[in-house]
Coordinates of all heavy atoms in Angstrom, one line a residue:
M983 N 49.3 21.0 -21.4 CA 48.5 21.2 -22.6 C 47.8 19.9 -22.9 O 48.3 18.8 -22.6 CB 49.4 21.8 -23.7 CG 49.5 21.1 -25.0 SD 50.8 21.9 -26.0 CE 52.1 22.1 -24.9
C984 N 46.7 20.0 -23.6 CA 45.9 18.8 -23.9 C 45.4 19.0 -25.4 O 45.5 20.1 -25.9 CB 44.7 18.6 -23.0 SG 43.4 19.8 -23.0
L985 N 44.9 18.0 -25.9 CA 44.3 17.9 -27.2 C 42.8 17.6 -27.2 O 42.5 16.7 -26.5 CB 45.1 16.9 -28.0 CG 44.7 16.7 -29.5 CD1 45.1 17.9 -30.3 CD2 45.4 15.5 -30.1
L986 N 42.0 18.4 -27.8 CA 40.6 18.2 -27.8 C 40.2 17.5 -29.1 O 40.7 17.9 -30.2 CB 39.8 19.5 -27.7 CG 40.1 20.3 -26.5 CD1 39.3 21.6 -26.5 CD2 39.7 19.5 -25.2
L987 N 39.4 16.5 -29.1 CA 39.0 15.8 -30.3 C 37.8 16.3 -30.9 O 36.7 15.7 -30.9 CB 38.8 14.3 -29.9 CG 40.0 13.6 -29.4 CD1 39.7 12.1 -29.1 CD2 41.2 13.6 -30.4
A988 N 37.9 17.5 -31.4 CA 36.8 18.2 -32.1 C 37.4 19.2 -33.0 O 38.3 20.0 -32.6 CB 35.8 18.8 -31.1
A989 N 37.0 19.4 -34.2 CA 37.6 20.3 -35.1 C 36.8 21.6 -35.1 O 35.6 21.6 -35.1 CB 37.6 19.7 -36.5
P990 N 37.5 22.8 -35.1 CA 36.8 24.1 -35.2 C 36.4 24.4 -36.6 O 36.9 23.8 -37.6 CB 37.9 25.0 -34.7 CG 39.2 24.4 -35.2 CD 38.9 22.9 -35.0
A991 N 35.6 25.5 -36.7 CA 35.2 25.9 -38.1 C 36.3 26.6 -38.8 O 36.4 26.5 -40.0 CB 34.0 26.8 -37.9
C992 N 37.2 27.2 -38.1 CA 38.3 28.0 -38.7 C 39.6 27.2 -38.7 O 40.0 26.8 -37.6 CB 38.5 29.3 -38.0 SG 39.9 30.3 -38.7
W993 N 40.3 27.0 -39.8 CA 41.6 26.3 -39.8 C 42.6 27.3 -40.3 O 43.5 26.9 -41.1 CB 41.5 25.1 -40.8 CG 40.6 24.0 -40.3 CD1 39.3 23.8 -40.5 CD2 41.0 22.9 -39.4 NE1 38.8 22.7 -39.9 CE2 39.8 22.1 -39.2 CE3 42.2 22.6 -38.8 CZ2 39.9 21.0 -38.4 CZ3 42.2 21.4 -38.1 CH2 41.0 20.7 -37.9
A994 N 42.7 28.5 -39.8 CA 43.6 29.5 -40.2 C 45.0 29.2 -39.8 O 46.0 29.6 -40.4 CB 43.2 30.9 -39.7
L995 N 45.2 28.5 -38.6 CA 46.5 28.2 -38.1 C 47.0 26.9 -38.8 O 46.3 26.1 -39.3 CB 46.5 27.9 -36.6 CG 46.0 29.1 -35.8 CD1 45.7 28.7 -34.4 CD2 47.2 30.1 -35.7
P996 N 48.4 26.7 -38.9 CA 48.9 25.5 -39.5 C 48.5 24.2 -38.8 O 48.5 24.2 -37.6 CB 50.4 25.7 -39.5 CG 50.6 26.7 -38.4 CD 49.4 27.5 -38.3
Q997 N 48.3 23.2 -39.5 CA 47.9 21.9 -38.9 C 49.1 21.2 -38.4 O 50.1 21.1 -39.1 CB 47.2 21.0 -39.9 CG 46.7 19.7 -39.3 CD 45.9 18.9 -40.3 OE1 46.4 18.6 -41.4 NE2 44.7 18.6 -40.0
L998 N 49.0 20.7 -37.2 CA 50.1 20.0 -36.6 C 49.9 18.5 -36.8 O 48.8 18.0 -36.6 CB 50.2 20.3 -35.0 CG 50.2 21.8 -34.6 CD1 50.3 21.9 -33.2 CD2 51.4 22.5 -35.3
T999 N 51.0 17.8 -37.2 CA 50.9 16.4 -37.5 C 51.7 15.5 -36.7 O 51.8 14.3 -37.1 CB 51.2 16.2 -39.1 OG1 52.5 16.7 -39.3 CG2 50.2 17.0 -39.9
S1000 N 52.3 16.0 -35.6 CA 53.1 15.1 -34.8 C 52.9 15.5 -33.4 O 52.7 16.7 -33.0 CB 54.6 15.1 -35.1 OG 55.1 16.3 -34.8
I1001 N 53.0 14.6 -32.4 CA 53.0 14.9 -31.0 C 54.1 15.8 -30.7 O 53.9 16.8 -29.8 CB 53.0 13.6 -30.2 CG1 51.7 12.8 -30.3 CG2 53.3 13.9 -28.7 CD1 51.7 11.5 -29.7
H1002 N 55.2 15.6 -31.3 CA 56.3 16.6 -31.0 C 56.0 18.0 -31.3 O 56.3 18.9 -30.5 CB 57.6 16.1 -31.8 CG 58.8 17.0 -31.6 ND1 59.5 16.8 -30.4 CD2 59.4 17.9 -32.4 CE1 60.5 17.7 -30.5 NE2 60.5 18.4 -31.6
Q1003 N 55.3 18.3 -32.4 CA 54.9 19.6 -32.7 C 54.0 20.2 -31.7 O 54.1 21.4 -31.3 CB 54.2 19.7 -34.1 CG 55.1 19.4 -35.3 CD 54.4 19.4 -36.6 OE1 53.3 18.7 -36.7 NE2 54.9 20.0 -37.6
V1004 N 53.1 19.4 -31.2 CA 52.1 19.8 -30.2 C 52.8 20.1 -28.9 O 52.6 21.2 -28.2 CB 51.0 18.7 -29.9 CG1 50.1 19.1 -28.8 CG2 50.2 18.5 -31.2
R1005 N 53.8 19.2 -28.5 CA 54.5 19.4 -27.2 C 55.4 20.6 -27.2 O 55.8 21.2 -26.2 CB 55.3 18.2 -26.9 CG 54.3 17.0 -26.5 CD 55.1 15.8 -26.2 NE 56.1 16.1 -25.2 CZ 56.2 15.6 -24.0 NH1 55.3 14.8 -23.6 NH2 57.2 15.9 -23.2
L1006 N 55.8 21.1 -28.4 CA 56.6 22.3 -28.5 C 55.9 23.6 -28.2 O 56.5 24.6 -28.0 CB 57.3 22.4 -29.9 CG 58.4 21.4 -30.2 CD1 58.9 21.6 -31.7 CD2 59.6 21.6 -29.3
L1007 N 54.6 23.6 -28.3 CA 53.7 24.7 -28.1 C 53.8 25.2 -26.6 O 53.7 24.3 -25.7 CB 52.3 24.5 -28.5 CG 52.0 24.2 -29.9 CD1 50.5 23.9 -30.1 CD2 52.5 25.4 -30.8
S1008 N 53.8 26.5 -26.3 CA 53.6 27.0 -25.0 C 52.2 26.8 -24.6 O 51.3 26.6 -25.5 CB 54.0 28.4 -24.9 OG 53.1 29.3 -25.6
N1009 N 51.8 26.9 -23.3 CA 50.4 26.8 -22.9 C 49.6 27.9 -23.6 O 48.4 27.6 -24.0 CB 50.3 26.9 -21.4 CG 49.2 26.1 -20.9 OD1 48.6 25.3 -21.5 ND2 48.8 26.4 -19.6
D1010 N 50.1 29.1 -23.8 CA 49.4 30.2 -24.4 C 49.2 29.9 -25.9 O 48.1 30.1 -26.4 CB 50.1 31.5 -24.3 CG 50.0 32.1 -22.9 OD1 49.1 31.7 -22.1 OD2 50.9 32.9 -22.5
E1011 N 50.2 29.3 -26.6 CA 50.1 29.0 -28.0 C 49.0 27.9 -28.1 O 48.3 27.9 -29.1 CB 51.4 28.5 -28.5 CG 52.3 29.7 -28.9 CD 51.8 30.5 -30.1 OE1 51.5 29.9 -31.2 OE2 51.7 31.7 -30.0
A1012 N 49.1 26.9 -27.3 CA 48.1 25.8 -27.3 C 46.7 26.3 -27.2 O 45.8 25.7 -27.8 CB 48.4 24.7 -26.3
G1013 N 46.5 27.3 -26.4 CA 45.1 27.9 -26.3 C 44.6 28.5 -27.5 O 43.4 28.8 -27.6
K1014 N 45.4 28.7 -28.6 CA 44.9 29.2 -29.8 C 44.2 28.2 -30.7 O 43.7 28.6 -31.8 CB 46.1 29.8 -30.6 CG 46.7 31.0 -29.9 CD 47.9 31.6 -30.8 CE 48.5 32.7 -30.1 NZ 49.7 33.2 -30.8
Q1015 N 44.1 27.0 -30.2 CA 43.4 25.9 -30.9 C 43.9 25.6 -32.3 O 43.2 25.6 -33.3 CB 41.9 26.3 -31.0 CG 41.2 26.4 -29.7 CD 39.7 26.6 -29.8 OE1 39.2 27.3 -30.7 NE2 39.0 25.9 -29.0
Y1016 N 45.2 25.2 -32.3 CA 45.8 24.8 -33.6 C 45.1 23.5 -34.0 O 44.8 22.6 -33.2 CB 47.3 24.4 -33.4 CG 48.2 25.7 -33.4 CD1 48.3 26.4 -32.2 CD2 49.0 25.9 -34.5 CE1 49.2 27.5 -32.2 CE2 49.8 27.0 -34.5 CZ 49.9 27.8 -33.4 OH 50.8 28.9 -33.4
P1017 N 44.9 23.3 -35.3 CA 44.3 22.1 -35.8 C 45.3 21.0 -35.7 O 46.5 21.2 -36.0 CB 43.9 22.4 -37.2 CG 44.7 23.5 -37.6 CD 45.0 24.3 -36.4
V1018 N 45.0 19.8 -35.3 CA 45.9 18.7 -35.2 C 45.3 17.5 -35.9 O 44.1 17.2 -35.7 CB 46.1 18.4 -33.6 CG1 47.0 17.2 -33.5 CG2 46.6 19.6 -32.9
R1019 N 46.2 16.7 -36.5 CA 45.8 15.4 -37.1 C 47.0 14.5 -36.8 O 48.0 14.7 -37.2 CB 45.6 15.5 -38.6 CG 45.2 14.2 -39.1 CD 44.9 14.2 -40.7 NE 44.0 13.2 -41.0 CZ 43.0 13.4 -41.9 NH1 42.8 14.5 -42.5 NH2 42.2 12.4 -42.1
L1020 N 46.7 13.5 -36.0 CA 47.8 12.6 -35.5 C 47.4 11.1 -35.8 O 46.2 10.7 -35.7 CB 48.0 12.7 -34.0 CG 48.4 14.1 -33.4 CD1 48.3 14.0 -31.9 CD2 49.7 14.4 -34.0
R1021 N 48.4 10.4 -36.1 CA 48.3 8.9 -36.2 C 49.2 8.4 -35.1 O 50.4 8.6 -35.1 CB 48.8 8.4 -37.5 CG 48.6 7.0 -37.7 CD 49.1 6.6 -39.2 NE 49.2 5.2 -39.4 CZ 48.3 4.5 -39.9 NH1 47.1 5.0 -40.4 NH2 48.4 3.2 -40.1
A1022 N 48.7 7.7 -34.1 CA 49.4 7.4 -32.9 C 48.8 6.1 -32.2 O 47.7 5.6 -32.5 CB 49.4 8.5 -31.9
L1023 N 49.6 5.5 -31.3 CA 49.2 4.3 -30.6 C 48.5 4.7 -29.3 O 49.0 5.5 -28.5 CB 50.4 3.6 -30.2 CG 50.3 2.2 -29.7 CD1 49.7 1.2 -30.6 CD2 51.6 1.7 -29.1
V1024 N 47.4 4.1 -29.0 CA 46.6 4.3 -27.8 C 47.4 3.6 -26.6 O 47.7 2.4 -26.8 CB 45.1 3.8 -27.9 CG1 44.5 3.9 -26.5 CG2 44.4 4.6 -28.9
T1025 N 47.7 4.3 -25.6 CA 48.3 3.7 -24.4 C 47.3 3.5 -23.3 O 47.5 2.6 -22.5 CB 49.5 4.5 -24.0 OG1 49.2 5.8 -23.7 CG2 50.6 4.5 -25.0
L1026 N 46.3 4.4 -23.2 CA 45.3 4.3 -22.1 C 44.1 5.1 -22.6 O 44.1 6.1 -23.1 CB 45.9 5.0 -20.9 CG 44.9 4.9 -19.7 CD1 44.7 3.5 -19.2 CD2 45.5 5.8 -18.5
H1027 N 42.9 4.4 -22.4 CA 41.6 5.0 -22.8 C 40.6 4.8 -21.7 O 40.4 3.7 -21.3 CB 41.1 4.5 -24.1 CG 39.9 5.1 -24.5 ND1 38.9 4.4 -25.1 CD2 39.5 6.4 -24.5 CE1 37.9 5.3 -25.5 NE2 38.2 6.5 -25.1
H1028 N 40.1 5.9 -21.1 CA 39.0 5.9 -20.1 C 37.8 6.5 -20.6 O 37.6 7.7 -20.5 CB 39.5 6.6 -18.8 CG 40.4 5.8 -17.9 ND1 40.0 4.7 -17.2 CD2 41.7 6.0 -17.6 CE1 41.0 4.2 -16.5 NE2 42.0 5.0 -16.7
P1029 N 37.0 5.8 -21.4 CA 35.8 6.4 -22.0 C 34.8 7.0 -21.0 O 34.2 8.0 -21.3 CB 35.2 5.3 -22.8 CG 35.7 4.0 -22.3 CD 37.1 4.3 -21.7
D1030 N 34.7 6.5 -19.8 CA 33.8 7.1 -18.8 C 34.3 8.4 -18.3 O 33.5 9.2 -17.8 CB 33.7 6.1 -17.6 CG 33.0 4.8 -18.0 OD1 32.4 4.7 -19.0 OD2 33.1 3.8 -17.2
R1031 N 35.6 8.7 -18.4 CA 36.1 10.0 -18.0 C 36.5 10.8 -19.2 O 37.1 11.9 -19.0 CB 37.4 9.7 -17.1 CG 37.0 9.0 -15.9 CD 38.2 8.9 -15.0 NE 37.9 8.1 -13.8 CZ 38.8 7.6 -13.0 NH1 40.1 7.6 -13.4 NH2 38.5 6.9 -11.9
W1032 N 36.3 10.4 -20.4 CA 36.6 11.1 -21.6 C 38.1 11.4 -21.7 O 38.5 12.4 -22.2 CB 35.8 12.4 -21.8 CG 34.3 12.2 -21.5 CD1 33.6 11.2 -22.1 CD2 33.5 12.9 -20.7 NE1 32.3 11.3 -21.6 CE2 32.2 12.4 -20.8 CE3 33.7 14.0 -19.9 CZ2 31.2 12.9 -20.0 CZ3 32.6 14.5 -19.2 CH2 31.4 14.0 -19.3
Q1033 N 38.9 10.4 -21.3 CA 40.4 10.6 -21.3 C 41.0 9.6 -22.3 O 40.6 8.4 -22.3 CB 41.0 10.4 -19.9 CG 40.5 11.4 -18.9 CD 41.0 11.0 -17.5 OE1 41.4 9.9 -17.2 NE2 41.1 12.0 -16.7
L1034 N 42.1 10.1 -22.9 CA 42.8 9.2 -23.9 C 44.3 9.7 -23.9 O 44.6 10.8 -23.8 CB 42.2 9.5 -25.3 CG 42.9 8.8 -26.5 CD1 42.7 7.3 -26.4 CD2 42.4 9.3 -27.8
F1035 N 45.1 8.7 -23.8 CA 46.6 9.0 -23.9 C 47.1 8.2 -25.2 O 46.7 7.1 -25.4 CB 47.3 8.5 -22.7 CG 47.1 9.2 -21.4 CD1 46.0 9.0 -20.6 CD2 47.9 10.3 -21.1 CE1 45.7 9.7 -19.5 CE2 47.7 11.0 -19.9 CZ 46.6 10.7 -19.1
I1036 N 47.9 9.0 -25.9 CA 48.4 8.3 -27.2 C 49.9 8.5 -27.2 O 50.4 9.5 -26.6 CB 47.7 8.9 -28.4 CG1 47.9 10.4 -28.5 CG2 46.2 8.5 -28.5 CD1 47.4 11.1 -29.8
Q1037 N 50.6 7.7 -28.0 CA 52.0 7.7 -28.1 C 52.4 7.6 -29.5 O 51.9 6.8 -30.3 CB 52.6 6.6 -27.2 CG 54.2 6.6 -27.2 CD 54.7 5.6 -26.3 OE1 54.1 5.1 -25.4 NE2 56.0 5.3 -26.4
E1038 N 53.5 8.4 -29.9 CA 54.1 8.4 -31.2 C 55.6 8.3 -30.9 O 56.2 9.3 -30.5 CB 53.6 9.7 -31.9 CG 54.1 9.8 -33.3 CD 53.7 11.2 -33.8 OE1 54.2 12.2 -33.3 OE2 52.9 11.2 -34.8
G1039 N 56.2 7.2 -31.2 CA 57.6 7.1 -30.9 C 57.8 7.1 -29.4 O 57.2 6.4 -28.7
T1040 N 58.7 8.0 -29.0 CA 59.0 8.1 -27.6 C 58.2 9.3 -26.9 O 58.4 9.5 -25.7 CB 60.5 8.4 -27.4 OG1 60.8 9.6 -28.0 CG2 61.3 7.3 -27.9
E1041 N 57.3 9.9 -27.6 CA 56.5 11.0 -27.1 C 55.1 10.6 -26.9 O 54.5 10.0 -27.8 CB 56.7 12.3 -27.9 CG 58.2 12.8 -27.9 CD 58.2 14.1 -28.5 OE1 58.4 14.2 -29.8 OE2 58.2 15.1 -27.8
A1042 N 54.4 11.1 -25.9 CA 53.1 10.9 -25.6 C 52.3 12.1 -25.2 O 52.9 13.1 -24.9 CB 52.9 9.8 -24.5
I1043 N 51.0 12.1 -25.3 CA 50.2 13.2 -25.1 C 48.8 12.8 -24.5 O 48.3 11.7 -24.8 CB 50.1 14.1 -26.3 CG1 49.5 15.5 -25.9 CG2 49.2 13.5 -27.4 CD1 49.7 16.5 -27.1
Y1044 N 48.2 13.7 -23.7 CA 46.9 13.4 -23.2 C 45.9 14.1 -24.2 O 46.1 15.2 -24.7 CB 46.7 14.1 -21.8 CG 45.3 14.3 -21.4 CD1 44.6 13.2 -20.9 CD2 44.7 15.6 -21.5 CE1 43.3 13.4 -20.5 CE2 43.4 15.7 -21.1 CZ 42.7 14.7 -20.6 OH 41.4 14.9 -20.2
C1045 N 44.8 13.4 -24.4 CA 43.7 13.9 -25.3 C 42.4 13.8 -24.5 O 42.1 12.9 -23.8 CB 43.5 13.1 -26.5 SG 45.0 13.0 -27.5
S1046 N 41.6 14.9 -24.6 CA 40.3 14.9 -24.0 C 39.3 14.6 -25.0 O 39.2 15.3 -26.1 CB 40.0 16.3 -23.4 OG 38.7 16.4 -22.9
T1047 N 38.5 13.6 -24.8 CA 37.5 13.2 -25.8 C 36.2 13.8 -25.4 O 36.0 14.4 -24.3 CB 37.4 11.6 -25.9 OG1 37.0 11.1 -24.6 CG2 38.6 11.0 -26.3
S1048 N 35.2 13.6 -26.2 CA 33.9 14.2 -25.9 C 32.8 13.1 -25.7 O 32.9 12.1 -26.5 CB 33.4 15.1 -27.1 OG 32.1 15.4 -27.0
P1049 N 31.9 13.3 -24.8 CA 30.8 12.3 -24.6 C 29.9 12.2 -25.8 O 29.3 11.2 -26.0 CB 30.1 12.8 -23.4 CG 30.4 14.2 -23.2 CD 31.8 14.4 -23.9
K1050 N 29.9 13.2 -26.6 CA 29.1 13.2 -27.8 C 29.7 12.4 -28.9 O 29.0 12.0 -29.9 CB 28.8 14.6 -28.3 CG 28.0 15.4 -27.3 CD 27.8 16.9 -27.8 CE 27.1 17.7 -26.7 NZ 27.0 19.1 -27.0
R1051 N 31.0 12.2 -28.9 CA 31.7 11.4 -29.9 C 32.0 10.1 -29.3 O 32.6 10.0 -28.3 CB 33.0 12.2 -30.4 CG 32.7 13.5 -30.9 CD 34.0 14.2 -31.3 NE 34.6 13.5 -32.4 CZ 34.9 14.0 -33.5 NH1 34.7 15.3 -33.7 NH2 35.4 13.4 -34.5
H1052 N 31.5 9.0 -29.9 CA 31.7 7.7 -29.4 C 33.0 7.1 -29.9 O 33.1 6.4 -30.8 CB 30.5 6.8 -29.9 CG 29.2 7.3 -29.4 ND1 28.8 7.2 -28.0 CD2 28.2 8.0 -30.0 CE1 27.6 7.8 -27.9 NE2 27.2 8.3 -29.0
F1053 N 34.0 7.6 -29.3 CA 35.4 7.2 -29.6 C 35.7 5.8 -29.0 O 35.6 5.7 -27.8 CB 36.4 8.2 -29.1 CG 37.8 7.9 -29.6 CD1 38.3 8.2 -30.8 CD2 38.7 7.3 -28.7 CE1 39.6 7.9 -31.2 CE2 40.0 7.0 -29.1 CZ 40.4 7.4 -30.4
I1054 N 35.9 4.8 -29.8 CA 36.1 3.5 -29.3 C 37.6 3.1 -29.6 O 38.0 3.1 -30.8 CB 35.2 2.5 -29.9 CG1 33.7 2.9 -29.6 CG2 35.5 1.0 -29.5 CD1 32.7 2.1 -30.3
A1055 N 38.4 2.8 -28.6 CA 39.7 2.4 -28.8 C 40.2 1.7 -27.5 O 39.7 1.9 -26.4 CB 40.6 3.6 -29.1
A1056 N 41.2 0.8 -27.7 CA 41.8 0.2 -26.5 C 43.3 0.3 -26.6 O 43.9 0.6 -27.7 CB 41.4 -1.3 -26.6
A1057 N 43.9 0.1 -25.5 CA 45.4 0.2 -25.4 C 46.0 -0.7 -26.5 O 45.5 -1.9 -26.7 CB 45.9 -0.2 -24.1
G1058 N 46.9 -0.2 -27.3 CA 47.6 -1.0 -28.4 C 47.0 -0.7 -29.8 O 47.6 -1.0 -30.7
D1059 N 45.8 0.0 -29.8 CA 45.2 0.3 -31.1 C 45.9 1.5 -31.7 O 46.3 2.5 -31.1 CB 43.7 0.7 -30.9 CG 42.8 -0.4 -30.6 OD1 43.3 -1.6 -30.7 OD2 41.7 -0.1 -30.3
L1060 N 46.2 1.4 -33.0 CA 46.7 2.5 -33.8 C 45.5 3.3 -34.3 O 44.6 2.8 -35.0 CB 47.5 2.0 -35.0 CG 48.3 3.0 -35.8 CD1 49.3 3.8 -35.0 CD2 49.0 2.4 -37.0
V1061 N 45.5 4.6 -34.0 CA 44.3 5.4 -34.3 C 44.8 6.7 -35.1 O 46.0 7.1 -35.0 CB 43.6 5.9 -33.1 CG1 43.0 4.7 -32.4 CG2 44.4 6.7 -32.1
E1062 N 43.9 7.3 -35.8 CA 44.1 8.6 -36.4 C 43.1 9.5 -35.9 O 41.9 9.2 -36.0 CB 44.0 8.5 -37.9 CG 44.4 9.8 -38.6 CD 44.5 9.6 -40.1 OE1 45.2 8.8 -40.6 OE2 43.9 10.4 -40.8
I1063 N 43.5 10.6 -35.3 CA 42.6 11.5 -34.6 C 42.7 12.9 -35.2 O 43.8 13.3 -35.6 CB 42.7 11.5 -33.1 CG1 44.1 11.9 -32.7 CG2 42.3 10.1 -32.6 CD1 44.2 12.0 -31.2
E1064 N 41.6 13.7 -35.2 CA 41.7 15.1 -35.5 C 41.1 15.9 -34.4 O 40.2 15.4 -33.7 CB 40.8 15.3 -36.7 CG 41.4 14.8 -38.0 CD 40.6 15.2 -39.2 OE1 39.6 15.9 -39.1 OE2 40.9 14.8 -40.3
G1065 N 41.6 17.0 -34.1 CA 41.2 17.9 -33.0 C 41.9 19.2 -33.0 O 42.4 19.7 -34.1
T1066 N 41.8 19.8 -31.9 CA 42.5 21.1 -31.7 C 43.3 21.1 -30.4 O 43.0 20.4 -29.5 CB 41.5 22.3 -31.7 OG1 40.6 22.1 -30.6 CG2 40.8 22.4 -33.0
T1067 N 44.3 21.9 -30.4 CA 45.1 22.1 -29.1 C 44.2 22.9 -28.2 O 43.3 23.7 -28.5 CB 46.4 22.7 -29.3 OG1 46.2 24.0 -29.9 CG2 47.3 21.9 -30.2
A1068 N 44.5 22.8 -26.9 CA 43.9 23.6 -25.8 C 44.9 23.8 -24.7 O 45.9 23.0 -24.5 CB 42.6 22.9 -25.3
R1069 N 44.7 24.8 -23.9 CA 45.5 25.1 -22.8 C 45.4 23.9 -21.8 O 44.2 23.4 -21.7 CB 45.0 26.3 -22.0 CG 45.3 27.6 -22.8 CD 44.8 28.8 -22.0 NE 45.5 29.0 -20.8 CZ 46.7 29.6 -20.6 NH1 47.3 30.1 -21.6 NH2 47.3 29.7 -19.4
G1070 N 46.4 23.5 -21.2 CA 46.4 22.4 -20.3 C 46.1 22.9 -18.9 O 46.4 24.0 -18.5
G1071 N 45.6 22.0 -18.1 CA 45.3 22.3 -16.7 C 46.4 21.9 -15.7 O 46.3 22.2 -14.6
F1072 N 47.4 21.2 -16.3 CA 48.5 20.7 -15.5 C 49.7 20.6 -16.4 O 49.6 20.7 -17.6 CB 48.2 19.4 -14.8 CG 47.8 18.3 -15.8 CD1 48.8 17.4 -16.3 CD2 46.5 18.2 -16.2 CE1 48.4 16.5 -17.2 CE2 46.1 17.2 -17.1 CZ 47.1 16.3 -17.6
S1073 N 50.9 20.5 -15.7 CA 52.2 20.5 -16.5 C 52.0 20.5 -17.9 O 52.7 20.1 -18.7 CB 53.1 19.4 -15.9 OG 52.5 18.1 -16.2

């Protein structure tokens, strides 16, 4: 499962506020686009590939960024991001 850094118009589902909550979702549940707001540490950022990995405690997650959003961060930065969950293309 992955996290998209873009907020939908509808916020009917409960907002997830931890990586743990996101990771508990099944792939089908993640596809429902739960709103997410996280404060986490950047562990890897590839802006050319729109990829971001963040960590909160001992749990980490992959985020897909958008070329339209100029997300600037480096490994070690503490960031707050908003987005939605999405079905993952791998494990």
